[in-house]
Amino acid sequence: MSSIFTTKYVEIKEKLSQNVSETTIWKFSFLISCIVFFFFFFYSTNHQYFTTGNFSSNINVEGNSSNSTTISPTTINHLLFGLIGSEKAWHHRKAYIESWWRPHITKGYLFLDVPPTKKLLPWSKASPPYRVSKDLTKFVQETRPIDPVAVRIINGIMETFREENDDDKDQFRWLVMGDDDSIFFLENMVDFLGKHDHRKYYYFGAQSEYVLSNFWYSFNQGFGGAGFILSYPLAKALADYLETCLRKYPYLGAADLTTMACISDIGVNLSPQKGLHQIDLRGDISGFLSSHPKTPLLSLHHFDAVDPIFPKMDRFESTRHLMKAAKQDQSRMLQQTICYQRQQNWSISISWGYSVHIYEKIMPRNWLQKPIETFQKWNKPNPNPPHYMFNTRFPSNDPCEAPHEFYFKSIEKVTKNQILTTYIRSKERGLPVCGLNGSNSADLVSEIHVYSPTTKRTEVDRCECCDITYYNGTTMAMVKFRECHVKEIIA
């Protein structure tokens, strides 16, 4: 490119030499040289810029600006909750919500189908403020949807958005929709959402644990009980489009499926999150909770459909008890840590804040990470597998494979840097000692003390390791969490 300008320069100089003085020629030559240099520099630097893909050099891989003054950190005030419930169910379900709701801190609304009766008034200050869903009778008569109740649930998205989308209020960043028995873990949600750019279009949600639930509805939808999360621009676009969409899909029926279809029309797909749990399971879910996937716990649902998760407690007591641990350290809630006490030939699996299992045998980690199928299918038809969206292992009466079970009892901060969680035996195992050479009985153990750091567990690329202390003939074992060594083989 420089040769073109050089040729032009020579031509101009020869022409000027015939008509102007040498001084004028010198000044003009200097001007032309500057122009040549400018164009050459602009071409070369911009060619390099556009071919190296530096369009977003100030945006990190998670989508947030690397300039801290551009986007402030996400806080709980940036989350807006829309909870859909019924007046009838709220009488007994409010205990679930009040276990995690923080009055004057958490932002959001509970939408009831009808105004609360006198038994609920005056309204509890520990509950979210309530609203009564809009009367959609006329709209339902016009559109004739398969499921009129679903229309109210879906419309709750728009109602929640419009309640808070006011010029006089701080704009929220994330809209979280859930049911009146959805339990959310707020610190974990803030940490998770803080890694994503709320200015972009995001639709976070979870699949059902039960294969057929996904088959009947969609593998690509976020189930509303587990909670699905919309970034502000997506929530705004959906709120604007919702009435049109409801008229478009009256035949879909299910609220979550219709919501997914509406979001898909906007051009956004589900980003699945394993920490959101629909709990499409029945009965005793202790096996599931004791082998939580290696991801932060964000929600639990369907507590009305499962047994109380702690022995000798009802559902509401169990919920409040679980939240005692969550108030101290949500980053480790239900996170599975597996360690070995080789002197006793024991494998110990800890679901922090919930349970501890002792096995009288050194067992592979990949086996212990599979939930014990203590639970039942969401629907009994279809006896043929697969039933679940994860691998399971069946309960066993083999004394080498059946665990001694301990459940969370208490938590306290014992030093500036350490938290102590205590777990007690739920019942006698009722099996003989494992007959393998070197295996010792764990029957005497009645209590386990687990020491963990007060600092958050922010890295999930690898689990923590631990050291186990136990003296023969005693009733208490001690476990101390620590970071794994670089080349430590922990199996």
Side-chain angles (χ1 to χ4, degrees):
M1 185 171 181
S2 59
S3 62
I4 297 174
F5 282 98
T6 303
T7 303
K8 291 292 184 182
Y9 166 75
V10 173
E11 291 176 358
I12 293 171
K13 183 176 180 181
E14 289 177 352
K15 185 174 182 180
L16 288 173
S17 64
Q18 299 174 4
N19 302 301
V20 297
S21 65
E22 287 296 320
T23 302
T24 304
I25 292 173
W26 183 87
K27 291 180 179 179
F28 201 82
S29 299
F30 180 78
L31 176 61
I32 294 298
S33 299
C34 290
I35 293 172
V36 170
F37 177 79
F38 172 79
F39 276 101
F40 177 79
F41 178 81
F42 178 83
Y43 173 80
S44 61
T45 57
N46 280 276
H47 176 73
Q48 181 182 12
Y49 178 84
F50 286 114
T51 55
T52 53
N54 290 327
F55 288 101
S56 56
S57 59
N58 66 327
I59 303 295
N60 65 25
V61 294
E62 296 289 353
N64 290 336
S65 171
S66 60
N67 184 354
S68 60
T69 61
T70 302
I71 304 178
S72 61
T74 296
T75 69
I76 193 173
N77 292 323
H78 293 125
L79 277 58
L80 175 65
F81 289 85
L83 305 174
I84 311 300
S86 69
E87 197 278 342
K88 183 178 180 180
W90 184 249
H91 290 260
H92 70 276
R93 285 186 171 181
K94 71 174 186 176
Y96 298 137
I97 303 300
E98 290 181 350
S99 71
W100 61 268
W101 187 267
R102 300 177 188 179
H104 309 299
I105 297 175
T106 320
K107 293 166 62 175
Y109 306 91
L110 168 71
F111 286 88
L112 298 175
D113 50 349
V114 296
T117 57
K118 290 182 179 180
K119 289 184 178 180
L120 292 175
L121 297 176
W123 191 255
S124 172
K125 294 181 179 179
S127 295
Y130 77 88
R131 299 290 187 270
V132 179
S133 297
K134 180 181 177 181
D135 185 356
L136 299 171
T137 303
K138 183 178 178 181
F139 184 82
V140 168
Q141 290 173 347
E142 291 176 5
T143 56
R144 297 178 180 273
I146 292 176
D147 184 2
V149 176
V151 175
R152 181 181 81 88
I153 295 172
I154 300 166
N155 198 64
I157 300 171
M158 180 175 64
E159 292 184 279
T160 306
F161 180 85
R162 291 181 177 175
E163 279 283 345
E164 202 65 22
N165 191 39
D166 190 300
D167 292 338
D168 296 331
K169 297 179 179 178
D170 294 333
Q171 188 181 90
F172 65 91
R173 295 181 178 180
W174 301 95
L175 175 61
V176 186
M177 299 300 300
D179 287 355
D180 56 358
D181 60 342
S182 299
I183 299 169
F184 292 108
F185 296 83
L186 299 178
E187 279 86 0
N188 280 349
M189 295 196 79
V190 169
D191 290 342
F192 164 69
L193 293 172
K195 298 177 181 179
H196 298 84
D197 190 342
H198 61 277
R199 302 167 302 179
K200 297 182 178 180
Y201 284 69
Y202 281 111
Y203 168 37
F204 296 116
Q207 298 171 325
S208 169
E209 295 82 5
Y210 186 51
V211 169
L212 284 181
S213 292
N214 299 299
F215 175 75
W216 290 328
Y217 299 106
S218 174
F219 285 87
N220 296 316
Q221 75 174 36
F223 280 74
F228 59 83
I229 308 168
L230 310 178
S231 58
Y232 177 86
L234 178 55
K236 184 179 187 305
L238 184 59
D240 293 341
Y241 174 59
L242 208 53
E243 182 175 339
T244 300
C245 187
L246 287 172
R247 293 182 183 277
K248 183 178 180 180
Y249 296 116
Y251 57 87
L252 288 180
D256 300 338
L257 178 59
T258 305
T259 300
M260 182 213 70
C262 298
I263 293 173
S264 180
D265 284 352
I266 296 171
V268 182
N269 295 328
L270 177 71
S271 296
Q273 296 302 316
K274 289 186 176 181
L276 296 164
H277 297 291
Q278 177 71 3
I279 310 293
D280 277 350
L281 307 170
R282 301 283 186 181
D284 175 11
I285 62 170
S286 62
F288 177 78
L289 298 180
S290 296
S291 298
H292 189 271
K294 193 172 65 173
T295 188
L297 174 64
L298 300 178
S299 73
L300 295 169
H301 179 48
H302 271 155
F303 268 43
D304 278 354
V306 299
D307 296 341
I309 61 175
F310 287 107
K312 301 178 182 179
M313 294 185 187
D314 63 28
R315 292 181 176 89
F316 310 122
E317 291 171 333
S318 292
T319 306
R320 290 192 291 268
H321 190 58
L322 186 70
M323 296 308 292
K324 290 178 184 177
K327 288 177 181 177
Q328 291 290 336
D329 184 0
Q330 290 195 6
S331 69
R332 289 183 174 82
M333 279 302 303
L334 301 192
Q335 299 302 293
Q336 187 182 24
T337 301
I338 298 170
C339 303
Y340 300 94
Q341 224 289 355
R342 297 189 183 276
Q343 290 86 348
Q344 306 295 329
N345 214 36
W346 291 349
S347 303
I348 299 184
S349 173
I350 302 156
S351 175
W352 194 93
Y354 181 64
S355 69
V356 176
H357 289 175
I358 296 180
Y359 298 84
E360 296 179 0
K361 174 186 175 182
I362 301 298
M363 303 181 71
R365 296 178 61 83
N366 66 82
W367 178 254
L368 296 177
Q369 287 169 349
K370 297 177 183 178
I372 302 173
E373 201 171 316
T374 58
F375 40 85
Q376 287 83 48
K377 301 184 292 293
W378 182 247
N379 286 77
K380 291 187 177 180
N382 183 35
N384 300 317
H387 302 305
Y388 310 109
M389 295 292 290
F390 48 86
N391 299 117
T392 64
R393 52 191 168 107
F394 293 112
S396 174
N397 287 322
D398 183 332
C400 296
E401 295 185 356
H404 298 261
E405 298 179 8
F406 305 78
Y407 287 93
F408 170 65
K409 176 188 177 184
S410 63
I411 186 167
E412 62 177 311
K413 187 176 180 180
V414 290
T415 69
K416 181 181 178 181
N417 301 316
Q418 272 193 337
I419 293 174
L420 167 63
T421 47
T422 300
Y423 305 79
I424 58 173
R425 183 184 289 274
S426 61
K427 59 183 178 180
E428 296 300 322
R429 192 174 66 149
L431 294 172
V433 178
C434 175
L436 293 177
N437 289 335
S439 294
N440 294 317
S441 173
D443 286 341
L444 286 179
V445 181
S446 61
E447 190 169 299
I448 300 175
H449 290 183
V450 176
Y451 293 87
S452 59
T454 55
T455 53
K456 281 186 177 181
R457 178 67 177 170
T458 57
E459 299 295 333
V460 295
D461 61 320
R462 192 181 187 191
C463 67
E464 288 178 290
C465 289
C466 54
D467 298 316
I468 302 168
T469 302
Y470 176 73
Y471 300 101
N472 287 331
T474 59
T475 60
M476 193 268 286
M478 185 179 73
V479 179
K480 186 175 181 179
F481 281 16
R482 61 172 173 79
E483 289 297 324
C484 299
H485 303 310
V486 175
K487 295 184 179 180
E488 182 174 4
I489 304 299
I490 50 183

